[in-house]
Amino acid sequence: MRQSRLFTKTSKNVPHDADSVNAKYLTQGGFVHQEMAGVYSWLPLGLRVLRKIETIIREELDKLGAQEILMSALQPKESWEKTGRWDTVDVLFKVPSQTGKEYALGPTHEEIVTPLVKSFVQSYKDLPVAVYQIQSKFRDELRAKSGVLRGREFGMKDLYSFHLTQEDLEAYYRKVLETYLTIFTRCGLEAKVVEASGGAFTKKFSHEFQVLTPAGEDKVLTSEHGSFAQNCEIATLKEGDKNPENGEPLFCSTGVEVGNIFDLSSKFAEAFDLAVTDENGERRTVVMGCYGVGTTRLVGTIVEASHDDKGIIWPIAVSPYHVHLVSLRSKDEETQSRINAVSQEIYEGLWAEGVEVLWDDRDASPGEKFADADLIGLPLRLVVSEKTLKEDSIEWKPRNESEATLIDTEDIIEKVKGMME
RNA sequence: CGGGCUAUGGCGCAGUUGGUAGCGCGCUUCGUUCGGGACGAAGAGGCCGUGGGUUCGAGUCCCACUAGCCCGACCA
């Protein structure tokens, strides 16, 4: 992508209402645009990050044998009345029709997926089954905040699994838990598995995946090394107590919940009478699990977890592009055309090797280009200038390092390929 | 949903006791610069959130509404 053609621009001005690092940098860098409180449009750079996260999630869930579907966002009121959630879920957006009917705008999809699966699953032989989707969710939050971390419209991956037995459900639940940790690691995040309340989903405890950062809104009781962690809303221990696992002291930190998994047991299956015939010819109610990952929230969380005072530092796996190729201006016409030619060659050469390059070919000053490169935060910056050409080289500077080095121009593509592995 | 703050060119802001709106960024043109957001000159761009009211006169004072943000509650 040639940056001169990118329709978004960076801004030197900090948005007046940016309340968090992610809102500030994502807006200034032109990744997202706020439309209303808690509602954002995703722009080319931001959308590329979101798509990469979604791809990671798809790859990992497909390995689990889950099948991707896309359910309706507009949902029938009757289904929500059937589960008793039409009047109890206060974040539910209720949409009136001109016909006088009302619909729900999906905050989650148990009310859709359960009857959906029922229409295909009648025998124990049809189980287990797991389906997922990546879709916009709508929740009428009284107070949206923290940029992309808590919105009224947001991207979410929701997975639902259906099992004949509680044991089978629990085994799958543990597999999803492991898969989620893989997903977050691949996104460059360190997530803690945290015991939490089941909320209105289930009376049982559930597990949350928390990324510890000051921007979070959850309080989590955790120890430095152990895997033990509890959401403070359910914690039986308190700060300063010893970790039952390894005796380490527990401390309270704030975290962002990037995922949550629930053992729903037969709650929704009962509401919709989702049952199968078992091998003895008897009807048995199915048990369910549901598992969510906030995709748009992940984008914001990564920014919160990985930035400095100049901008974002994208982990390469989710970076909108891998390389920021920066061509500097020269007043000398011949030098300028050499800079252009070398840049073009590297640009095309890298793309030919599958390396995604954002090429800053704009007619802008060096300072402006460097500042923008830091703000946008691609993992590697390559500079082509009069100075580097004199050495037949390209300047190499990783975003998370302060020192730049010169690399021979002819070696540059191989070296970048090496970094990608 | 309670409490508070804010609303002025695309963005960030100033605007005195009420007298007819200004700065920075960005944008256009020209020239000079060129390795960390360069400089000069000349331009374009505003019913001051909306609706009422007070006044000879309202960006400014009063009321209502709307929107954004903050604190809290809430967060299936």
Side-chain angles (χ1 to χ4, degrees):
Chain A
M1 181 73 198
R2 286 167 176 256
Q3 203 168 338
S4 62
R5 307 286 301 274
L6 195 62
F7 94 91
T8 59
K9 292 177 193 163
T10 59
S11 172
K12 251 198 264 195
N13 292 329
V14 178
H16 79 282
D17 53 359
D19 61 324
S20 55
V21 173
N22 79 85
K24 175 176 187 280
Y25 285 154
L26 288 173
T27 304
Q28 275 189 277
F31 293 84
V32 300
H33 182 258
Q34 185 179 21
E35 303 301 343
M36 297 177 266
V39 179
Y40 287 84
S41 288
W42 290 78
L43 308 178
L45 291 176
L47 187 60
R48 287 184 70 94
V49 177
L50 190 58
R51 292 291 183 245
K52 292 200 172 184
I53 290 171
E54 292 171 351
T55 298
I56 290 172
I57 292 173
R58 285 193 174 96
E59 287 173 2
E60 295 301 326
L61 291 188
D62 289 349
K63 281 187 208 163
L64 268 183
Q67 299 171 54
E68 184 170 7
I69 59 176
L70 182 58
M71 291 180 272
S72 67
L74 215 50
Q75 307 185 356
K77 179 180 181 181
E78 297 73 43
S79 294
W80 283 81
E81 286 176 326
K82 202 169 267 187
T83 57
R85 297 209 291 182
W86 179 261
D87 293 314
T88 55
V89 175
D90 49 16
V91 297
L92 184 65
F93 273 111
K94 298 171 182 176
V95 184
S97 158
Q98 57 181 334
T99 64
K101 273 185 77 165
E102 280 184 297
Y103 302 91
L105 205 46
T108 180
H109 276 73
E110 286 78 17
E111 275 77 359
I112 296 293
V113 76
T114 313
L116 171 68
V117 165
K118 182 182 175 179
S119 67
F120 293 101
V121 169
Q122 286 91 32
S123 159
Y124 74 98
K125 293 175 189 165
D126 298 327
L127 296 177
V129 62
V131 295
Y132 74 96
Q133 65 171 349
I134 297 173
Q135 197 197 38
S136 291
K137 297 283 190 266
F138 302 87
R139 295 184 188 182
D140 192 8
E141 301 285 356
L142 287 175
R143 187 177 161 210
K145 60 173 182 173
S146 304
V148 120
L149 294 184
R150 185 171 196 77
R152 298 197 167 95
E153 176 179 341
F154 57 95
M156 181 171 153
K157 184 286 304 171
D158 42 328
L159 164 70
Y160 305 88
S161 73
F162 301 84
H163 309 265
L164 185 63
T165 65
Q166 183 67 25
E167 296 70 48
D168 194 49
L169 166 60
E170 285 172 11
Y172 193 82
Y173 184 98
R174 280 190 293 275
K175 278 203 276 185
V176 173
L177 192 151
E178 293 303 322
T179 295
Y180 270 28
L181 288 174
T182 305
I183 289 170
F184 299 131
T185 301
R186 286 187 63 186
C187 289
L189 291 172
E190 190 183 328
K192 292 230 179 225
V193 181
V194 175
E195 294 171 19
S197 93
F201 268 132
T202 169
K203 288 192 178 62
K204 300 187 173 187
F205 286 156
S206 68
H207 288 96
E208 291 174 348
F209 297 80
Q210 294 274 356
V211 173
L212 301 184
T213 130
E217 49 181 2
D218 290 318
K219 294 269 181 244
V220 178
L221 196 62
T222 181
S223 70
E224 184 148 3
H225 298 102
S227 57
F228 176 87
Q230 279 188 332
N231 192 307
C232 291
E233 68 188 11
I234 60 143
T236 48
L237 298 168
K238 59 184 187 298
E239 194 164 32
D241 284 352
K242 295 279 190 263
N243 186 343
E245 275 182 15
N246 57 13
E248 282 183 337
L250 296 167
F251 55 91
C252 205
S253 8
T254 56
V256 179
E257 180 196 324
V258 288
N260 202 178
I261 59 180
F262 298 88
D263 173 347
L264 298 177
S265 190
S266 56
K267 176 177 163 122
F268 291 91
E270 272 166 17
F272 292 99
D273 192 26
L274 170 58
V276 294
T277 309
D278 70 11
E279 58 264 66
N280 301 318
E282 286 173 22
R283 273 174 70 76
R284 287 176 59 172
T285 302
V286 166
V287 289
M288 281 174 68
C290 77
Y291 320 83
V293 172
T295 53
T296 49
R297 178 181 275 188
L298 265 178
V299 177
T301 306
I302 292 166
V303 175
E304 295 292 343
S306 184
H307 67 270
D308 62 16
D309 60 350
K310 292 190 172 132
I312 303 170
I313 305 173
W314 291 111
I316 193 161
V318 298
S319 183
Y321 294 90
H322 302 125
V323 171
H324 208 150
L325 177 63
V326 177
S327 308
L328 297 189
R329 285 191 295 213
S330 169
K331 58 204 164 287
D332 180 65
E333 248 178 67
E334 197 188 318
T335 310
Q336 182 64 64
S337 59
R338 276 182 65 212
I339 290 173
N340 292 345
V342 169
S343 300
Q344 176 93 33
E345 199 178 320
I346 294 171
Y347 179 70
E348 289 170 0
L350 286 173
W351 273 105
E353 295 291 340
V355 179
E356 299 162 5
V357 187
L358 178 63
W359 178 12
D360 190 349
D361 60 336
R362 298 173 303 166
D363 184 25
S365 71
E368 189 175 347
K369 292 191 171 201
F370 292 146
D372 277 348
D374 287 340
L375 174 62
I376 292 172
L378 305 187
L380 177 64
R381 188 186 79 191
L382 297 179
V383 179
V384 182
S385 72
E386 186 168 346
K387 216 164 84 176
T388 70
L389 285 188
K390 275 189 190 141
E391 310 285 333
D392 283 322
S393 63
I394 306 294
E395 181 189 282
W396 170 288
K397 184 187 168 296
R399 175 65 178 84
N400 58 3
E401 292 174 18
S402 53
E403 294 304 311
T405 53
L406 289 179
I407 307 291
D408 283 354
T409 305
E410 54 186 27
D411 299 336
I412 199 76
I413 291 180
E414 282 306 311
K415 174 122 197 226
V416 173
K417 279 168 68 183
M419 177 199 74
M420 300 283 296
E421 284 153 12

